[in-house]
Amino acid sequence: MPPSVREPFPDALRALALVGVLVVNAAGYLSSPWGAVLGDEAARSGGVALALQGLYAFLVQGKAYPILAFLFGMGLVLAQRGQPAAEALDRARSRQKWLLLLGVLHGVFIYFGDILTMYALIGWLLLHHVRAPWTRLRRQLRRALVWALGVGGLAAVAMLAGLTMAPAPDEAAEIEPTFADIASWPEFWALNAEGYVFIQIGSLILGFALLRLLMMVGIAVTRLRWLTHRRWQAQRQRLLRRWAAPALLLNALYGLGYVYFAGNRDAVGMVEVMGFSVGPLLSMVMVVALVQHARCAPVLLALAPLGRRTLTLYVGHGLLCLLLFSGVGLGWQPGLVGMLGFSLLLWTAAWLAARASGTRRWPLEAALAWVARR
């Protein structure tokens, strides 16, 4: 939507969530595509790097993607407000089509861990929920919750069974290549595309149900004005009292698990499954807490200009990682602390540039808005 009529809170929340995306993607880049989500460097370095990795797991890993999926669902509703149903649906389908194309190109040629592909596919399937009768949407939402819980439970059981039955690691086994080891563009694109296909298949099997649920929650919350209307304030407060402490405790255990099992690839894999399970819970608590505490509003809303430009920043971050840290680029290996500094500096520079941009769209946002009107 044009900046003049956009609601600032979703944009501000999107900019804040992107901090986690940039930090986590950079943390694991030098061990990608087959290493741990937060990289393998901390297990070798120990000390500060290991503590920082545990803090990553506690604060940001698994927390950004639920917020962004939730906001994607919100966006499906907000983008169609005030428009005729048929015209809005056509434009939404066009946008999802081009977003899918961008996601595939981004995933194959730049960053294997692309999330745009899955967002576009699920968003396309959920377009009919935007204006569906509330009784039907509520029924579908309950089914989506049961489906997500069932898939998550089966994944945890399968991972635990695989961990207990896994053979002892073979020290003579061939070391898996990383982007830092690749010296030619054909090799890079082959490895990156292989990782991208693997991630998308895994997301379809394990992540699709959860992402669909989160987007549907975003649709329902927006239609009910659950985050903004005063009638829901008491319910939001009860949610915080009930879930804030468990969410913090579970994520603290997740962070400690990352530190305790550092270097054990199979055990860390199980810990990562736990992170994808408890991360959405803390994400929900964080979003509601920001809504409930009005004193956070001025600082949060100051981020809104960047939230309207996160697509360019997301793809640009992957491109910079390729050019700076891969073997086909400069091959820098700054370590976990250096990657944190790089991501925070890039995010800060992007925020300042976004504030200076006024109402002008950045390249990918402008391109997507243009093709959606075709």
Side-chain angles (χ1 to χ4, degrees), residues 12 35 71 119 175 182 184 208 211 213 228 257 271-272 289 311-312 351:
L71 291 171
Y119 282 180
I175 298 176
I182 299 301
S184 70
F208 183 93
L211 289 173
L213 171 65
T228 55
V271 172
E272 288 173 352
L311 184 60
T312 297
W351 173 62

Side-chain angles (χ1 to χ4, degrees), residues 42-343:
R44 298 188 296 267
S45 302
V48 173
L50 194 57
L52 182 59
Q53 191 176 65
L55 193 62
Y56 272 19
F58 173 60
L59 290 177
V60 293
Q61 164 58 13
K63 286 69 174 181
Y65 84 87
I67 295 176
L68 292 171
F70 168 78
L71 291 171
F72 198 97
M74 289 187 70
L76 294 177
V77 178
L78 295 174
Q80 295 192 36
R81 280 184 174 173
Q83 299 182 50
E87 178 184 342
L89 185 58
D90 286 342
R91 295 186 67 173
R93 286 172 174 166
S94 178
R95 185 180 185 276
Q96 298 306 116
K97 177 182 67 176
W98 289 103
L99 186 64
L100 175 60
L101 176 61
L102 176 61
V104 172
L105 293 175
H106 177 240
V108 171
F109 295 106
I110 297 177
Y111 179 63
F112 76 105
D114 172 79
I115 194 64
L116 301 177
T117 304
M118 201 55 55
Y119 282 180
L121 287 172
I122 300 174
W124 180 289
L125 296 175
L126 293 182
L127 288 176
H128 64 283
H129 288 300
V130 172
R131 299 175 187 260
W134 174 249
T135 53
R136 189 172 74 188
L137 177 59
R138 183 172 58 183
R139 186 168 59 250
Q140 292 295 327
L141 193 58
R142 289 173 177 169
R143 291 176 181 173
L145 175 61
V146 172
W147 185 18
L149 291 174
V151 171
L154 289 174
V157 170
M159 282 292 292
L160 185 60
L163 181 61
T164 56
M165 295 185 297
D170 183 4
E171 296 183 358
E174 183 179 355
I175 298 176
E176 297 166 331
T178 68
F179 293 138
D181 303 323
I182 299 301
S184 70
W185 285 103
E187 288 180 310
F188 172 84
W189 285 322
L191 181 63
N192 192 71
E194 185 181 0
Y196 168 72
V197 171
F198 180 83
I199 288 289
Q200 299 310 310
I201 294 175
S203 297
L204 283 172
I205 297 172
L206 301 176
F208 183 93
L210 179 57
L211 289 173
R212 181 174 177 269
L213 171 65
L214 292 166
M215 290 186 192
M216 290 184 67
V217 170
I219 292 173
V221 162
T222 308
R223 289 180 52 172
L224 290 173
R225 298 169 61 195
W226 192 85
L227 288 176
T228 55
H229 201 285
R230 287 187 300 175
R231 67 177 292 192
W232 304 110
Q233 186 169 356
Q235 190 178 88
R236 294 194 298 263
Q237 196 60 41
R238 287 196 300 270
L239 184 147
L240 286 178
R241 286 197 298 266
R242 178 178 298 177
W243 293 107
L248 290 170
L249 176 60
L250 288 171
N251 277 278
L253 292 174
Y254 171 46
L256 290 173
Y258 232 106
V259 174
Y260 182 79
F261 292 109
N264 185 332
R265 180 70 63 83
D266 293 329
V268 168
M270 186 63 195
V271 172
E272 288 173 352
V273 170
M274 175 186 176
F276 282 108
S277 303
V278 303
L281 181 61
L282 186 56
S283 299
M284 174 187 67
V285 168
M286 290 190 294
V287 170
V288 176
L290 288 171
V291 170
Q292 289 295 88
H293 295 86
R295 62 178 178 270
C296 300
V299 175
L300 185 65
L301 296 183
L303 305 179
L306 179 57
R308 297 194 290 266
R309 299 165 171 90
T310 48
L311 184 60
T312 297
L313 177 56
Y314 172 63
V315 175
H317 179 262
L319 184 60
L320 283 175
C321 285
L322 187 164
L323 296 176
L324 294 176
F325 308 122
S326 73
V328 294
L330 297 180
W332 291 354
Q333 299 191 34
L336 197 61
V337 176
M339 284 297 203
L340 174 63
F342 158 73
S343 297

